[in-house]
Amino acid sequence: MDYGVPAALGVAPELMEEVSTGTTIMACVYDGGVVLGADSRTSTGNYVANRASDKITQVMDNVWMCRSGSAADTQNVCAFVKNAVEEHGIMSGSDEPGMADVKLVANVTMQIAYRNKDRLSAGMIIAGWDRRAGPQVFGIPLGGSLEKCDFTLGGSGSAYITGFCDDTWKPGMSREEAEAWIRRAISIAISRDASSGGVIRLVTIHEKGAEKQMFEPAQHPLAYDELPVIRREEVVA
Amino acid sequence: MIPTRVSHNPIIGPGVVPFGVDPAYDAQYKLNQAPRSHVASHGQGKPFTVEPGPHQRTQYPYVTGTTVLGCKYKDGVMIACDTLCCYGSTKRYKSVERIKKVNSSTIISFTGELSDFHYIVSLLEELDTTDYCEDDGSELAPWEIHSYLCRVMYNRRNKFDPLWNSLVVAGVKHGRTFLGTVGMIGQHYEDSHLAAGFGNHMARPLFREKHTDDMSEEDARKLMEDCLRACLMRDKTMMNKFQIAKVTAGGLEISEPFQVPMNWGYEKFKDPTKHAVGAW
């Protein structure tokens, strides 16, 4: 049991052994595309190292990835995947440079995660739109399994909203409904998971392209037993 | 209350059994005779399930409160903290009163284990009850309460069974403003501005730069809010729901929960990795 680091940060050792690192990530399919969502908090122990991090990363123009777990591991996995998928596109003479099949990206990622399972701590969600199969979401949790699904959750905050998501999910939502649903779910996770917080980032991918959005705490739905957020207007130099 | 042992012995006659006749009964009585001021009288201080063999007493905190800030100002002293208690990384209880009134001149707040703080409050309530019963118009002063808590914390530490708290005690009595802290190993000091927990790292530097002992109440409150905001941004176990308590010569007051304005609208937050290809 490592008493050194947890003791220095003032946390009981067994409470610091989180395997899926502080984050809430999720993605879902809607009628015509996918929506990916994530919080923006990176914490080391109790200290918030980055309150505005970006956990949704672009792999190809039409395929993005949500990352949770060790930052180093997911960064490097993503770099490998980008490289492998681009090379595949060139070698196979793809007529859409910059785009790739979502299933291809997911499988490449899965192979890396599975074959290095004892070395990696990376939970990822691959989601995107391609012309062959339309909108798709794939979850690749710890261990390197691959599962195609309508929606999936990841990170420590996901435990708090699994019941909510199961209960309120419906297929064939519109883009606005899907975005509102993801925002609501992530804000609920943020309200109970101390390792998740900050802004809610959304990326929506559809036939025409991808759009990024950011929602400040003032724009989150109000959580139970909390006070409505006040925006601070003046900017401190 | 130990029931008095009544005798029906024809030799002694009816009545109460005197001391020295029944050793088992006397032993009970002896336990309560020795002064045990550090142990709440309802608890007896012994666990009722005791395993034989060597004990490991050091605990771990389970339900915890985070930062407390305190500072003196012109009219007195104020303490601020949030109303959240976490269970590990879960924000479990969001309406916890982490500032308690001890008596009419003293307030106390804590970081660390919530149950240990409740226990400390019950010890302080016993002290207060004793004062009340004596009914001589005199109450314990804030520094006396602080001193008492130093002894309690240090003695528990010596038994390898600490109360897992850092406490901040504040008050005003007889014209003297007091602000002091006690930690779980018995370390204690007084200062014009204090923090317990993360506030030591986030808020104390701000206090050192901007705090003066003769600040007005509005200035002190604004500085307190700035420090709370700094802590809120960087402590994951903190929530935006605070209480401020102040003690002056005129009395003490604990505020209703309020929130602090936050700034999240920076342009650079919107796409932080725009110019850093491959960054995160």
Side-chain angles (χ1 to χ4, degrees):
Chain A
M1 200 97 91
D2 172 23
Y3 284 94
V5 170
L9 289 168
V11 177
E14 69 273 12
L15 293 174
M16 196 154 167
E17 291 162 16
E18 278 179 8
V19 180
S20 63
T21 309
T23 242
T24 308
I25 51 171
M26 58 188 294
C28 78
V29 165
Y30 72 89
D31 182 25
V34 295
V35 182
L36 295 86
D39 74 309
S40 72
R41 177 171 286 184
T42 317
S43 41
T44 45
N46 282 3
Y47 178 67
V48 176
N50 189 350
R51 62 175 167 124
S53 48
D54 193 358
K55 302 178 187 179
I56 311 178
T57 314
Q58 181 175 7
V59 179
M60 301 298 284
D61 291 347
N62 62 324
V63 184
W64 292 57
M65 169 199 277
C66 292
R67 303 173 299 105
S68 74
S70 153
D73 286 353
T74 51
Q75 285 177 28
N76 284 281
V77 166
C78 192
F80 269 114
V81 170
K82 272 186 190 173
N83 185 271
V85 171
E86 276 185 33
E87 190 177 313
H88 177 275
I90 294 166
M91 300 301 279
S92 64
S94 157
D95 56 352
E96 285 175 319
M99 311 254 287
D101 282 356
V102 186
K103 194 153 124 181
L104 171 70
V105 176
N107 275 289
V108 172
T109 312
M110 178 274 279
Q111 290 292 340
I112 296 174
Y114 176 66
R115 292 183 194 288
N116 296 286
K117 61 158 75 193
D118 46 346
R119 282 178 283 262
L120 290 176
S121 169
M124 293 162 289
I125 300 175
I126 311 281
W129 182 98
D130 63 51
R131 61 178 181 188
R132 257 189 268 277
Q136 298 141 81
V137 168
F138 293 89
I140 305 173
L142 263 46
S145 55
L146 174 66
E147 201 79 24
K148 181 173 188 297
C149 31
D150 283 336
F151 72 92
T152 189
L153 319 171
S156 58
S158 64
Y160 300 91
I161 50 174
T162 313
F164 168 78
C165 290
D166 285 346
D167 224 27
T168 53
W169 161 258
K170 39 188 218 289
M173 289 195 276
S174 71
R175 174 182 173 162
E176 288 71 33
E177 284 179 312
E179 288 180 354
W181 182 74
I182 294 222
R183 279 173 66 186
R184 195 171 157 211
I186 295 182
S187 73
I188 292 171
I190 286 175
S191 87
R192 285 298 183 178
D193 181 23
S195 307
S196 302
V199 305
I200 295 178
R201 296 199 192 276
L202 248 47
V203 171
T204 310
I205 312 171
H206 48 85
E207 187 180 358
K208 301 286 188 311
E211 282 101 51
K212 283 180 77 138
Q213 291 172 279
M214 175 183 100
F215 298 96
E216 296 179 35
Q219 296 163 294
H220 299 349
L222 183 63
Y224 173 73
D225 217 3
E226 301 215 17
L227 299 171
V229 173
I230 307 175
R231 286 189 89 242
R232 188 176 174 217
E233 297 304 330
E234 80 275 15
V235 175
V236 180
Chain B
M1 279 283 298
I2 298 173
T4 38
R5 192 169 160 241
V6 170
S7 151
H8 297 288
N9 189 315
I11 299 170
I12 299 177
V16 171
V17 175
F19 190 76
V21 172
D22 185 349
Y25 174 79
D26 291 341
Q28 273 185 307
Y29 192 62
K30 262 205 190 108
L31 212 62
N32 270 4
Q33 262 185 338
R36 284 154 67 80
S37 60
H38 63 286
V39 173
S41 56
H42 58 268
Q44 295 281 337
K46 263 209 179 98
F48 62 84
T49 52
V50 183
E51 282 172 29
H55 294 255
Q56 202 209 359
R57 290 220 180 270
T58 321
Q59 324 145 358
Y60 302 110
Y62 290 101
V63 180
T64 56
T66 188
T67 302
V68 174
L69 307 178
C71 76
K72 294 188 187 177
Y73 63 104
K74 189 171 64 166
D75 305 326
V77 59
M78 54 169 71
I79 282 186
C81 66
D82 67 349
T83 64
L84 172 67
C85 277
C86 279
Y87 184 67
S89 275
T90 305
K91 294 190 267 190
R92 187 94 178 253
Y93 304 109
K94 295 193 191 173
S95 289
V96 178
E97 273 182 37
R98 296 210 291 121
I99 304 181
K100 294 282 192 191
K101 168 183 157 172
V102 181
N103 56 30
S104 65
S105 64
T106 317
I107 45 180
I108 182 173
S109 185
F110 79 106
T111 58
E113 171 65 45
L114 178 62
S115 59
D116 283 346
F117 180 65
H118 284 156
Y119 174 71
I120 287 169
V121 166
S122 73
L123 291 181
L124 294 175
E125 273 169 7
E126 281 195 18
L127 283 185
D128 201 37
T129 308
T130 316
D131 263 347
Y132 178 82
C133 291
E134 284 182 25
D135 197 20
D136 54 4
S138 126
E139 269 184 339
L140 284 176
W143 47 91
E144 292 174 324
I145 292 182
H146 177 251
S147 180
Y148 167 77
L149 290 171
C150 293
R151 298 338 307 149
V152 170
M153 302 298 271
Y154 184 61
N155 277 291
R156 287 291 296 256
R157 167 261 190 197
N158 287 341
K159 292 196 256 173
F160 283 90
D161 187 13
L163 291 165
W164 205 284
N165 292 123
S166 274
L167 305 164
V168 174
V169 181
V172 174
K173 199 172 170 85
H174 300 321
R176 176 181 162 192
T177 311
F178 178 85
L179 178 62
T181 181
V182 193
M184 68 186 247
I185 54 177
Q187 78 276 39
H188 56 275
Y189 52 91
E190 301 171 47
D191 207 337
S192 303
H193 48 84
L194 283 179
F198 246 66
N200 274 307
H201 301 107
M202 304 307 305
R204 292 298 298 285
L206 289 169
F207 277 132
R208 280 180 205 122
E209 198 166 296
K210 301 202 176 147
H211 178 267
T212 54
D213 269 339
D214 55 0
M215 294 177 89
S216 68
E217 187 180 323
E218 304 90 79
D219 288 342
R221 168 112 187 190
K222 176 152 189 326
L223 177 58
M224 216 31 134
E225 288 195 8
D226 285 342
C227 291
L228 287 173
R229 181 175 23 252
C231 294
L232 173 67
M233 292 291 110
R234 291 297 174 179
D235 182 359
K236 80 180 196 189
T237 55
M238 200 145 180
M239 77 182 281
N240 195 349
K241 191 170 167 193
F242 302 103
Q243 279 185 298
I244 274 193
K246 63 178 208 271
V247 191
T248 59
L252 71 82
E253 188 193 320
I254 304 180
S255 75
E256 284 299 299
F258 65 94
Q259 71 280 49
V260 143
M262 298 191 287
N263 204 339
W264 289 90
Y266 301 103
E267 264 315 300
K268 294 211 168 110
F269 276 9
K270 296 199 175 137
D271 200 354
T273 59
K274 193 158 128 186
H275 300 293
V277 178
W280 315 79

